[in-house]
Amino acid sequence: MSQPFKPSSAADITSGRSGERVEVRGWVARRHSVGGMVFTIVRDGTGYVQLSVKKGALGDEGFDAAKGATKESAIVARGTVKEDKRAPGGREVSVSEFTVVAKAESWPITRTAAKSGSYLFDKRHLSIRGPKAIAAMKIRTEVIGAAFDYFRENGFQLISAPSFVQAAVEGGSTLFTLDYFGKEAHLSQSAQFYEEAALPALERVWIFQPAFRAEKSKTPKHLTEFWMIEAEQAFVEQPENMKVQERLLSKMVERVIERRQAELKTLGRTLKQPELPLPRISYDEARSIAEKKGLGFEWGEDVPTEAERAVSLTQDSPFFLTDYPLTARSFYHMTYEDRPKVTKSADLIAPEGIGELATGGQRIHDYGELIERIRSQDLPAESFSWYLELRKYGMPPHSGFGIGVERTTRWIAGLKHIRSASLFPRTTTRLSP
Ligand code: 4AD
Ligand code: MG
């Protein structure tokens, strides 16, 4: 009696043995017929495998099914694995049974249509089946997975926090506002305040959840909804906070290099492991670099995008831009004892002109100092009441950061636009699909 057909993935088949009897389930990526043969490239969640269907090797019904299996039809086929140098992975399945499970209509994403980026994103529910979109999502999975591993290995607890909030963590200008049973509420810009509240309970925490910004900017690095990885630690000051960020980023890169070579190749990306410690460039140094390139800016301003880009082009690895002026940072930032206008903070910036991946810093932990800061910036103290109250009950020095998942994936995968790092991106002009 012959062996039963074993359900097998494309990856199983291309890395397995010849002679195995397999069942393939997937979607038709490409197909061509020559004489009495049909060659079908099938995609599943693991990759691509070639089926060769020979007239006479299966019933007429099976052969006609294979011949009529349009692009993106869902199919199930059974057969025997054979060596074939021309097939992806060097093996193909010589088919003895072929069934179309769900036939696809004529595929709307033609080569000509695919030249329009906005058409591809209008049809994103379909275009995500393309090899580049798949590669980007698999790299994103590794980026997130590396964070889960890093934080578990380093004793951080994973917390969650509400998305409906009242306080503005990162300023009022990018808040989404909504009606919450007659009260004004906002969508969370950052879970940082909740992480800080969790410190006396858990000491080291991290979080992985969506953040919302009503950014009007239409740029290759802004989404209105994105995923953020944030971490916060008690009894940790800014220098150590930067070490956590560089180790985390380094682990993300290492994981992608280790596991996603094929995907990097599909995207035409050469990714190098950055050497630690990453360079640290101060705000003042960045200002003089920018000035030499004719992109000078006033001390106290946030680093303008063009200047940040110019500095990033002088580096070939990610780097920290440190010591931002208080006027360029949110109210909660701690300043140096001997430099009251300079914050203990840094941005982690990707080279190649990509720009900011993370922002982090040390927070004010003293009650008097924080209330003073809130008052001096004319902020509504009542909306920060519980955040302030934390400072009355044992708040030690503490630091943390937030790193954008799509920005990091964009840099690691070498994507031109941040929207390609999101399965269903949200931007100022996109609410669908
Ligand atoms: O720099 P941001 O605004 O910092 C914070 O929210 C801090 N409260 C985080 C913390 O210390 N816990 O945002 C952090 C990161 C940015 O560096 C960027 O990678 C990403 O979030 N980000 C965006 N990504 C995509 N689209 C946007 N509109 C983004 N805004 C911020
Ligand atoms: Mg920032």
Side-chain angles (χ1 to χ4, degrees), residues 169-170 189-192 195 213 215 221-232 329 332 347-348 356-361 363 400-408 418:
V169 180
E170 297 301 328
Q189 297 168 307
S190 154
Q192 181 193 320
E195 287 187 309
R213 306 276 172 108
E215 303 267 9
K221 60 180 196 177
H222 286 98
L223 295 169
T224 51
E225 177 176 359
F226 60 96
W227 283 74
M228 204 184 337
I229 289 168
E230 293 178 271
E232 197 76 25
R329 287 304 212 208
Y332 52 74
D347 276 7
L348 175 57
E356 178 186 336
L357 302 179
T359 288
R363 332 298 189 184
F401 64 91
I403 179 165
V405 170
E406 290 79 10
R407 284 204 188 164
T408 306
I418 191 168

mmCIF file of all heavy atoms in Angstrom, residues 169-170 189-192 195 213 215 221-232 329 332 347-348 356-361 363 400-408 418, ligand 1:
data_model
loop_
_atom_site.group_PDB
_atom_site.id
_atom_site.type_symbol
_atom_site.label_atom_id
_atom_site.label_comp_id
_atom_site.label_asym_id
_atom_site.label_seq_id
_atom_site.Cartn_x
_atom_site.Cartn_y
_atom_site.Cartn_z
ATOM 1 N N VAL A 169 0.042 63.159 26.255
ATOM 2 C CA VAL A 169 1.426 62.854 26.632
ATOM 3 C C VAL A 169 2.386 63.672 25.776
ATOM 4 O O VAL A 169 3.378 64.194 26.260
ATOM 5 C CB VAL A 169 1.709 61.341 26.470
ATOM 6 C CG1 VAL A 169 3.147 61.020 26.851
ATOM 7 C CG2 VAL A 169 0.741 60.518 27.310
ATOM 8 N N GLU A 170 2.080 63.784 24.492
ATOM 9 C CA GLU A 170 3.013 64.445 23.569
ATOM 10 C C GLU A 170 2.441 65.727 22.961
ATOM 11 O O GLU A 170 2.607 65.985 21.775
ATOM 12 C CB GLU A 170 3.445 63.462 22.479
ATOM 13 C CG GLU A 170 4.215 62.246 22.996
ATOM 14 C CD GLU A 170 5.495 62.618 23.751
ATOM 15 O OE1 GLU A 170 6.124 63.626 23.406
ATOM 16 O OE2 GLU A 170 5.826 61.890 24.699
ATOM 17 N N GLN A 189 -1.673 58.838 22.615
ATOM 18 C CA GLN A 189 -0.489 59.129 21.787
ATOM 19 C C GLN A 189 0.685 58.268 22.217
ATOM 20 O O GLN A 189 1.646 58.076 21.464
ATOM 21 C CB GLN A 189 -0.059 60.584 21.978
ATOM 22 C CG GLN A 189 -1.060 61.625 21.536
ATOM 23 C CD GLN A 189 -0.668 62.994 22.043
ATOM 24 O OE1 GLN A 189 -0.435 63.168 23.243
ATOM 25 N NE2 GLN A 189 -0.599 63.966 21.145
ATOM 26 N N SER A 190 0.650 57.814 23.474
ATOM 27 C CA SER A 190 1.773 57.073 24.049
ATOM 28 C C SER A 190 1.301 56.543 25.393
ATOM 29 O O SER A 190 0.525 57.203 26.090
ATOM 30 C CB SER A 190 2.957 58.021 24.257
ATOM 31 O OG SER A 190 3.810 57.567 25.287
ATOM 32 N N ALA A 191 1.754 55.347 25.759
ATOM 33 C CA ALA A 191 1.330 54.739 27.029
ATOM 34 C C ALA A 191 2.288 55.076 28.169
ATOM 35 O O ALA A 191 2.193 54.508 29.258
ATOM 36 C CB ALA A 191 1.232 53.226 26.863
ATOM 37 N N GLN A 192 3.191 56.011 27.909
ATOM 38 C CA GLN A 192 4.254 56.293 28.871
ATOM 39 C C GLN A 192 3.767 56.551 30.293
ATOM 40 O O GLN A 192 4.328 56.023 31.255
ATOM 41 C CB GLN A 192 5.059 57.501 28.373
ATOM 42 C CG GLN A 192 6.196 57.874 29.282
ATOM 43 C CD GLN A 192 6.751 59.246 28.922
ATOM 44 O OE1 GLN A 192 6.876 59.569 27.739
ATOM 45 N NE2 GLN A 192 7.079 60.043 29.917
ATOM 46 N N GLU A 195 2.883 53.427 32.007
ATOM 47 C CA GLU A 195 4.091 52.659 32.346
ATOM 48 C C GLU A 195 4.715 53.216 33.625
ATOM 49 O O GLU A 195 5.128 52.464 34.505
ATOM 50 C CB GLU A 195 5.121 52.769 31.233
ATOM 51 C CG GLU A 195 4.805 52.010 29.981
ATOM 52 C CD GLU A 195 5.986 52.069 29.017
ATOM 53 O OE1 GLU A 195 6.491 53.177 28.732
ATOM 54 O OE2 GLU A 195 6.401 51.013 28.557
ATOM 55 N N ARG A 213 -1.866 59.577 16.289
ATOM 56 C CA ARG A 213 -1.413 60.970 16.164
ATOM 57 C C ARG A 213 -2.143 61.619 14.999
ATOM 58 O O ARG A 213 -2.067 61.124 13.871
ATOM 59 C CB ARG A 213 0.091 61.043 15.878
ATOM 60 C CG ARG A 213 0.970 60.287 16.860
ATOM 61 C CD ARG A 213 1.293 61.083 18.101
ATOM 62 N NE ARG A 213 1.980 60.255 19.076
ATOM 63 C CZ ARG A 213 3.265 60.360 19.394
ATOM 64 N NH1 ARG A 213 4.003 61.282 18.822
ATOM 65 N NH2 ARG A 213 3.805 59.557 20.298
ATOM 66 N N GLU A 215 -1.395 63.682 12.960
ATOM 67 C CA GLU A 215 -0.310 64.384 12.270
ATOM 68 C C GLU A 215 -0.834 64.841 10.925
ATOM 69 O O GLU A 215 -1.240 64.013 10.124
ATOM 70 C CB GLU A 215 0.849 63.438 11.969
ATOM 71 C CG GLU A 215 1.449 62.727 13.132
ATOM 72 C CD GLU A 215 2.629 63.470 13.708
ATOM 73 O OE1 GLU A 215 2.863 64.631 13.282
ATOM 74 O OE2 GLU A 215 3.289 62.900 14.576
ATOM 75 N N LYS A 221 7.290 59.128 6.643
ATOM 76 C CA LYS A 221 7.530 58.549 7.974
ATOM 77 C C LYS A 221 6.385 58.755 8.961
ATOM 78 O O LYS A 221 6.544 58.437 10.141
ATOM 79 C CB LYS A 221 8.858 59.045 8.535
ATOM 80 C CG LYS A 221 8.966 60.535 8.697
ATOM 81 C CD LYS A 221 10.337 60.860 9.271
ATOM 82 C CE LYS A 221 10.367 62.264 9.807
ATOM 83 N NZ LYS A 221 11.643 62.596 10.432
ATOM 84 N N HIS A 222 5.261 59.264 8.495
ATOM 85 C CA HIS A 222 4.144 59.495 9.409
ATOM 86 C C HIS A 222 2.921 58.660 9.079
ATOM 87 O O HIS A 222 2.440 58.654 7.958
ATOM 88 C CB HIS A 222 3.747 60.977 9.403
ATOM 89 C CG HIS A 222 4.714 61.849 10.130
ATOM 90 N ND1 HIS A 222 5.689 62.563 9.489
ATOM 91 C CD2 HIS A 222 4.862 62.094 11.448
ATOM 92 C CE1 HIS A 222 6.407 63.225 10.389
ATOM 93 N NE2 HIS A 222 5.930 62.958 11.582
ATOM 94 N N LEU A 223 2.405 58.007 10.100
ATOM 95 C CA LEU A 223 1.103 57.356 10.043
ATOM 96 C C LEU A 223 0.236 58.040 11.097
ATOM 97 O O LEU A 223 0.764 58.677 12.012
ATOM 98 C CB LEU A 223 1.231 55.865 10.376
ATOM 99 C CG LEU A 223 2.032 55.004 9.391
ATOM 100 C CD1 LEU A 223 2.290 53.622 9.983
ATOM 101 C CD2 LEU A 223 1.294 54.884 8.065
ATOM 102 N N THR A 224 -1.078 57.897 10.991
ATOM 103 C CA THR A 224 -1.934 58.460 12.037
ATOM 104 C C THR A 224 -2.196 57.423 13.133
ATOM 105 O O THR A 224 -2.517 57.767 14.255
ATOM 106 C CB THR A 224 -3.276 58.929 11.450
ATOM 107 O OG1 THR A 224 -3.823 57.851 10.685
ATOM 108 C CG2 THR A 224 -3.088 60.146 10.564
ATOM 109 N N GLU A 225 -2.057 56.147 12.774
ATOM 110 C CA GLU A 225 -2.139 55.060 13.750
ATOM 111 C C GLU A 225 -0.932 54.181 13.512
ATOM 112 O O GLU A 225 -0.697 53.756 12.373
ATOM 113 C CB GLU A 225 -3.428 54.259 13.532
ATOM 114 C CG GLU A 225 -3.539 53.064 14.464
ATOM 115 C CD GLU A 225 -4.863 52.306 14.336
ATOM 116 O OE1 GLU A 225 -5.723 52.725 13.518
ATOM 117 O OE2 GLU A 225 -5.032 51.313 15.052
ATOM 118 N N PHE A 226 -0.153 53.945 14.545
ATOM 119 C CA PHE A 226 1.033 53.102 14.393
ATOM 120 C C PHE A 226 1.211 52.286 15.659
ATOM 121 O O PHE A 226 0.534 52.539 16.654
ATOM 122 C CB PHE A 226 2.284 53.955 14.097
ATOM 123 C CG PHE A 226 2.616 54.957 15.180
ATOM 124 C CD1 PHE A 226 3.557 54.664 16.161
ATOM 125 C CD2 PHE A 226 1.965 56.186 15.228
ATOM 126 C CE1 PHE A 226 3.850 55.585 17.164
ATOM 127 C CE2 PHE A 226 2.254 57.108 16.232
ATOM 128 C CZ PHE A 226 3.190 56.804 17.199
ATOM 129 N N TRP A 227 2.104 51.324 15.618
ATOM 130 C CA TRP A 227 2.366 50.508 16.806
ATOM 131 C C TRP A 227 3.641 50.997 17.466
ATOM 132 O O TRP A 227 4.624 51.288 16.780
ATOM 133 C CB TRP A 227 2.473 49.031 16.439
ATOM 134 C CG TRP A 227 1.128 48.448 16.210
ATOM 135 C CD1 TRP A 227 0.328 48.665 15.122
ATOM 136 C CD2 TRP A 227 0.389 47.593 17.096
ATOM 137 N NE1 TRP A 227 -0.854 47.991 15.287
ATOM 138 C CE2 TRP A 227 -0.853 47.317 16.474
ATOM 139 C CE3 TRP A 227 0.649 47.020 18.349
ATOM 140 C CZ2 TRP A 227 -1.819 46.511 17.066
ATOM 141 C CZ3 TRP A 227 -0.312 46.212 18.926
ATOM 142 C CH2 TRP A 227 -1.535 45.965 18.292
ATOM 143 N N MET A 228 3.582 51.087 18.766
ATOM 144 C CA MET A 228 4.759 51.548 19.491
ATOM 145 C C MET A 228 5.178 50.509 20.524
ATOM 146 O O MET A 228 4.320 49.915 21.171
ATOM 147 C CB MET A 228 4.486 52.895 20.165
ATOM 148 C CG MET A 228 5.787 53.622 20.379
ATOM 149 S SD MET A 228 5.846 55.203 21.241
ATOM 150 C CE MET A 228 4.314 55.957 21.154
ATOM 151 N N ILE A 229 6.478 50.308 20.617
ATOM 152 C CA ILE A 229 7.055 49.521 21.703
ATOM 153 C C ILE A 229 7.627 50.542 22.666
ATOM 154 O O ILE A 229 8.431 51.390 22.266
ATOM 155 C CB ILE A 229 8.162 48.589 21.167
ATOM 156 C CG1 ILE A 229 7.532 47.456 20.342
ATOM 157 C CG2 ILE A 229 9.020 48.045 22.306
ATOM 158 C CD1 ILE A 229 8.532 46.665 19.534
ATOM 159 N N GLU A 230 7.158 50.505 23.920
ATOM 160 C CA GLU A 230 7.661 51.447 24.911
ATOM 161 C C GLU A 230 8.183 50.663 26.108
ATOM 162 O O GLU A 230 7.662 49.587 26.412
ATOM 163 C CB GLU A 230 6.549 52.405 25.363
ATOM 164 C CG GLU A 230 6.109 53.341 24.252
ATOM 165 C CD GLU A 230 4.967 54.262 24.676
ATOM 166 O OE1 GLU A 230 3.807 53.856 24.512
ATOM 167 O OE2 GLU A 230 5.240 55.364 25.163
ATOM 168 N N ALA A 231 9.193 51.199 26.765
ATOM 169 C CA ALA A 231 9.726 50.541 27.952
ATOM 170 C C ALA A 231 10.063 51.603 28.979
ATOM 171 O O ALA A 231 10.381 52.742 28.625
ATOM 172 C CB ALA A 231 10.973 49.733 27.600
ATOM 173 N N GLU A 232 9.979 51.221 30.242
ATOM 174 C CA GLU A 232 10.230 52.172 31.320
ATOM 175 C C GLU A 232 10.859 51.410 32.485
ATOM 176 O O GLU A 232 10.439 50.295 32.784
ATOM 177 C CB GLU A 232 8.885 52.801 31.727
ATOM 178 C CG GLU A 232 8.958 54.068 32.533
ATOM 179 C CD GLU A 232 9.326 55.332 31.733
ATOM 180 O OE1 GLU A 232 9.102 55.396 30.510
ATOM 181 O OE2 GLU A 232 9.855 56.268 32.355
ATOM 182 N N ARG A 329 11.187 69.649 23.811
ATOM 183 C CA ARG A 329 10.748 68.385 24.415
ATOM 184 C C ARG A 329 9.469 68.555 25.222
ATOM 185 O O ARG A 329 9.132 69.675 25.642
ATOM 186 C CB ARG A 329 11.836 67.864 25.365
ATOM 187 C CG ARG A 329 13.057 67.310 24.677
ATOM 188 C CD ARG A 329 12.680 66.225 23.737
ATOM 189 N NE ARG A 329 13.672 65.194 23.587
ATOM 190 C CZ ARG A 329 13.821 64.465 22.469
ATOM 191 N NH1 ARG A 329 13.076 64.692 21.410
ATOM 192 N NH2 ARG A 329 14.707 63.507 22.413
ATOM 193 N N TYR A 332 7.517 66.675 30.693
ATOM 194 C CA TYR A 332 7.932 65.744 31.762
ATOM 195 C C TYR A 332 9.435 65.472 31.777
ATOM 196 O O TYR A 332 9.938 64.757 32.620
ATOM 197 C CB TYR A 332 7.170 64.413 31.622
ATOM 198 C CG TYR A 332 7.268 63.805 30.229
ATOM 199 C CD1 TYR A 332 8.450 63.193 29.796
ATOM 200 C CD2 TYR A 332 6.195 63.856 29.335
ATOM 201 C CE1 TYR A 332 8.553 62.658 28.526
ATOM 202 C CE2 TYR A 332 6.290 63.315 28.060
ATOM 203 C CZ TYR A 332 7.479 62.711 27.666
ATOM 204 O OH TYR A 332 7.581 62.196 26.400
ATOM 205 N N ASP A 347 17.148 61.013 20.934
ATOM 206 C CA ASP A 347 16.445 60.305 19.870
ATOM 207 C C ASP A 347 17.400 59.272 19.298
ATOM 208 O O ASP A 347 18.598 59.548 19.160
ATOM 209 C CB ASP A 347 16.037 61.271 18.739
ATOM 210 C CG ASP A 347 14.722 61.985 19.039
ATOM 211 O OD1 ASP A 347 14.193 61.828 20.165
ATOM 212 O OD2 ASP A 347 14.229 62.702 18.142
ATOM 213 N N LEU A 348 16.852 58.122 18.986
ATOM 214 C CA LEU A 348 17.629 57.112 18.263
ATOM 215 C C LEU A 348 17.292 57.305 16.783
ATOM 216 O O LEU A 348 16.120 57.277 16.399
ATOM 217 C CB LEU A 348 17.222 55.715 18.748
ATOM 218 C CG LEU A 348 17.839 54.523 18.025
ATOM 219 C CD1 LEU A 348 19.366 54.575 18.065
ATOM 220 C CD2 LEU A 348 17.361 53.225 18.684
ATOM 221 N N GLU A 356 14.362 59.583 12.706
ATOM 222 C CA GLU A 356 14.026 59.114 14.053
ATOM 223 C C GLU A 356 13.326 57.755 14.099
ATOM 224 O O GLU A 356 12.334 57.541 13.418
ATOM 225 C CB GLU A 356 13.115 60.175 14.704
ATOM 226 C CG GLU A 356 12.645 59.786 16.079
ATOM 227 C CD GLU A 356 11.618 60.774 16.651
ATOM 228 O OE1 GLU A 356 11.584 61.944 16.232
ATOM 229 O OE2 GLU A 356 10.840 60.349 17.528
ATOM 230 N N LEU A 357 13.854 56.886 14.965
ATOM 231 C CA LEU A 357 13.189 55.607 15.237
ATOM 232 C C LEU A 357 12.592 55.604 16.637
ATOM 233 O O LEU A 357 11.547 54.995 16.873
ATOM 234 C CB LEU A 357 14.183 54.437 15.145
ATOM 235 C CG LEU A 357 14.938 54.216 13.832
ATOM 236 C CD1 LEU A 357 15.885 53.029 13.969
ATOM 237 C CD2 LEU A 357 13.964 53.993 12.686
ATOM 238 N N ALA A 358 13.293 56.247 17.590
ATOM 239 C CA ALA A 358 12.842 56.210 18.980
ATOM 240 C C ALA A 358 13.133 57.533 19.664
ATOM 241 O O ALA A 358 14.043 58.271 19.255
ATOM 242 C CB ALA A 358 13.559 55.088 19.741
ATOM 243 N N THR A 359 12.339 57.816 20.692
ATOM 244 C CA THR A 359 12.621 58.940 21.580
ATOM 245 C C THR A 359 12.580 58.418 22.999
ATOM 246 O O THR A 359 11.701 57.629 23.349
ATOM 247 C CB THR A 359 11.570 60.058 21.413
ATOM 248 O OG1 THR A 359 11.779 60.713 20.164
ATOM 249 C CG2 THR A 359 11.699 61.117 22.518
ATOM 250 N N GLY A 360 13.542 58.862 23.803
ATOM 251 C CA GLY A 360 13.551 58.425 25.200
ATOM 252 C C GLY A 360 14.175 59.470 26.085
ATOM 253 O O GLY A 360 14.762 60.445 25.598
ATOM 254 N N GLY A 361 14.041 59.257 27.375
ATOM 255 C CA GLY A 361 14.642 60.199 28.296
ATOM 256 C C GLY A 361 14.328 59.879 29.733
ATOM 257 O O GLY A 361 13.584 58.941 30.044
ATOM 258 N N ARG A 363 12.664 61.065 33.285
ATOM 259 C CA ARG A 363 11.478 61.845 33.638
ATOM 260 C C ARG A 363 11.700 62.595 34.951
ATOM 261 O O ARG A 363 12.455 62.119 35.805
ATOM 262 C CB ARG A 363 10.250 60.940 33.809
ATOM 263 C CG ARG A 363 10.244 59.654 32.997
ATOM 264 C CD ARG A 363 10.268 59.908 31.530
ATOM 265 N NE ARG A 363 10.053 58.681 30.746
ATOM 266 C CZ ARG A 363 10.107 58.646 29.428
ATOM 267 N NH1 ARG A 363 10.431 59.717 28.737
ATOM 268 N NH2 ARG A 363 9.872 57.535 28.769
ATOM 269 N N GLY A 400 12.752 55.983 30.298
ATOM 270 C CA GLY A 400 12.132 55.062 29.343
ATOM 271 C C GLY A 400 12.174 55.620 27.938
ATOM 272 O O GLY A 400 12.741 56.685 27.691
ATOM 273 N N PHE A 401 11.566 54.883 27.029
ATOM 274 C CA PHE A 401 11.594 55.291 25.629
ATOM 275 C C PHE A 401 10.443 54.656 24.870
ATOM 276 O O PHE A 401 9.790 53.729 25.358
ATOM 277 C CB PHE A 401 12.916 54.868 24.977
ATOM 278 C CG PHE A 401 13.107 53.367 24.913
ATOM 279 C CD1 PHE A 401 12.678 52.648 23.806
ATOM 280 C CD2 PHE A 401 13.697 52.676 25.959
ATOM 281 C CE1 PHE A 401 12.833 51.269 23.742
ATOM 282 C CE2 PHE A 401 13.860 51.294 25.914
ATOM 283 C CZ PHE A 401 13.429 50.594 24.795
ATOM 284 N N GLY A 402 10.203 55.166 23.681
ATOM 285 C CA GLY A 402 9.235 54.565 22.765
ATOM 286 C C GLY A 402 9.872 54.449 21.390
ATOM 287 O O GLY A 402 10.493 55.398 20.904
ATOM 288 N N ILE A 403 9.732 53.264 20.797
ATOM 289 C CA ILE A 403 10.295 53.049 19.461
ATOM 290 C C ILE A 403 9.161 52.640 18.520
ATOM 291 O O ILE A 403 8.345 51.785 18.868
ATOM 292 C CB ILE A 403 11.470 52.031 19.497
ATOM 293 C CG1 ILE A 403 12.049 51.784 18.096
ATOM 294 C CG2 ILE A 403 11.076 50.702 20.123
ATOM 295 C CD1 ILE A 403 13.417 51.077 18.114
ATOM 296 N N GLY A 404 9.088 53.283 17.376
ATOM 297 C CA GLY A 404 7.993 53.028 16.436
ATOM 298 C C GLY A 404 8.245 51.747 15.654
ATOM 299 O O GLY A 404 9.303 51.577 15.054
ATOM 300 N N VAL A 405 7.265 50.856 15.659
ATOM 301 C CA VAL A 405 7.426 49.560 14.996
ATOM 302 C C VAL A 405 7.514 49.724 13.475
ATOM 303 O O VAL A 405 8.366 49.106 12.829
ATOM 304 C CB VAL A 405 6.260 48.615 15.369
ATOM 305 C CG1 VAL A 405 6.258 47.357 14.505
ATOM 306 C CG2 VAL A 405 6.334 48.263 16.843
ATOM 307 N N GLU A 406 6.675 50.573 12.903
ATOM 308 C CA GLU A 406 6.694 50.717 11.446
ATOM 309 C C GLU A 406 7.927 51.479 10.980
ATOM 310 O O GLU A 406 8.491 51.165 9.936
ATOM 311 C CB GLU A 406 5.412 51.410 10.945
ATOM 312 C CG GLU A 406 4.163 50.546 11.078
ATOM 313 C CD GLU A 406 3.597 50.512 12.494
ATOM 314 O OE1 GLU A 406 4.069 51.318 13.342
ATOM 315 O OE2 GLU A 406 2.710 49.689 12.773
ATOM 316 N N ARG A 407 8.358 52.474 11.762
ATOM 317 C CA ARG A 407 9.581 53.189 11.350
ATOM 318 C C ARG A 407 10.780 52.262 11.405
ATOM 319 O O ARG A 407 11.663 52.321 10.550
ATOM 320 C CB ARG A 407 9.819 54.383 12.271
ATOM 321 C CG ARG A 407 8.875 55.505 11.945
ATOM 322 C CD ARG A 407 9.443 56.823 12.387
ATOM 323 N NE ARG A 407 8.449 57.863 12.246
ATOM 324 C CZ ARG A 407 8.539 59.036 12.825
ATOM 325 N NH1 ARG A 407 9.589 59.321 13.583
ATOM 326 N NH2 ARG A 407 7.599 59.935 12.638
ATOM 327 N N THR A 408 10.826 51.414 12.428
ATOM 328 C CA THR A 408 11.955 50.500 12.576
ATOM 329 C C THR A 408 11.929 49.452 11.469
ATOM 330 O O THR A 408 12.963 49.147 10.858
ATOM 331 C CB THR A 408 11.907 49.844 13.970
ATOM 332 O OG1 THR A 408 11.849 50.882 14.944
ATOM 333 C CG2 THR A 408 13.130 48.987 14.225
ATOM 334 N N ILE A 418 6.787 54.506 4.904
ATOM 335 C CA ILE A 418 6.350 53.819 6.127
ATOM 336 C C ILE A 418 5.070 53.010 5.904
ATOM 337 O O ILE A 418 4.843 51.998 6.569
ATOM 338 C CB ILE A 418 6.170 54.843 7.280
ATOM 339 C CG1 ILE A 418 5.995 54.120 8.617
ATOM 340 C CG2 ILE A 418 5.012 55.803 7.011
ATOM 341 C CD1 ILE A 418 6.095 55.020 9.832
HETATM 342 O O1 4AD B 1 8.901 60.500 19.825
HETATM 343 P P1 4AD B 1 7.578 60.154 20.389
HETATM 344 O O2 4AD B 1 6.490 61.114 20.206
HETATM 345 O O3 4AD B 1 7.798 59.820 21.916
HETATM 346 C C1 4AD B 1 6.820 59.435 22.794
HETATM 347 O O4 4AD B 1 5.664 59.232 22.505
HETATM 348 C C2 4AD B 1 7.311 59.095 24.171
HETATM 349 N N1 4AD B 1 6.218 59.350 25.119
HETATM 350 C C3 4AD B 1 7.752 57.657 24.200
HETATM 351 C C4 4AD B 1 8.273 57.223 25.547
HETATM 352 O O5 4AD B 1 9.254 57.793 26.002
HETATM 353 N N2 4AD B 1 7.666 56.239 26.155
HETATM 354 O O6 4AD B 1 7.133 58.761 19.738
HETATM 355 C C5 4AD B 1 7.967 57.630 19.884
HETATM 356 C C6 4AD B 1 8.221 56.972 18.545
HETATM 357 C C7 4AD B 1 8.923 57.879 17.539
HETATM 358 O O7 4AD B 1 10.308 57.898 17.751
HETATM 359 C C8 4AD B 1 8.545 57.216 16.219
HETATM 360 O O8 4AD B 1 9.327 56.082 15.946
HETATM 361 C C9 4AD B 1 7.154 56.747 16.493
HETATM 362 O O9 4AD B 1 6.990 56.648 17.896
HETATM 363 N N3 4AD B 1 6.187 57.705 15.963
HETATM 364 C C10 4AD B 1 5.536 57.544 14.797
HETATM 365 N N4 4AD B 1 5.555 56.557 13.905
HETATM 366 C C11 4AD B 1 4.763 56.689 12.817
HETATM 367 N N5 4AD B 1 3.951 57.731 12.602
HETATM 368 C C12 4AD B 1 3.903 58.756 13.485
HETATM 369 N N6 4AD B 1 3.069 59.772 13.267
HETATM 370 C C13 4AD B 1 4.714 58.693 14.647
HETATM 371 N N7 4AD B 1 4.896 59.510 15.718
HETATM 372 C C14 4AD B 1 5.802 58.881 16.494
#
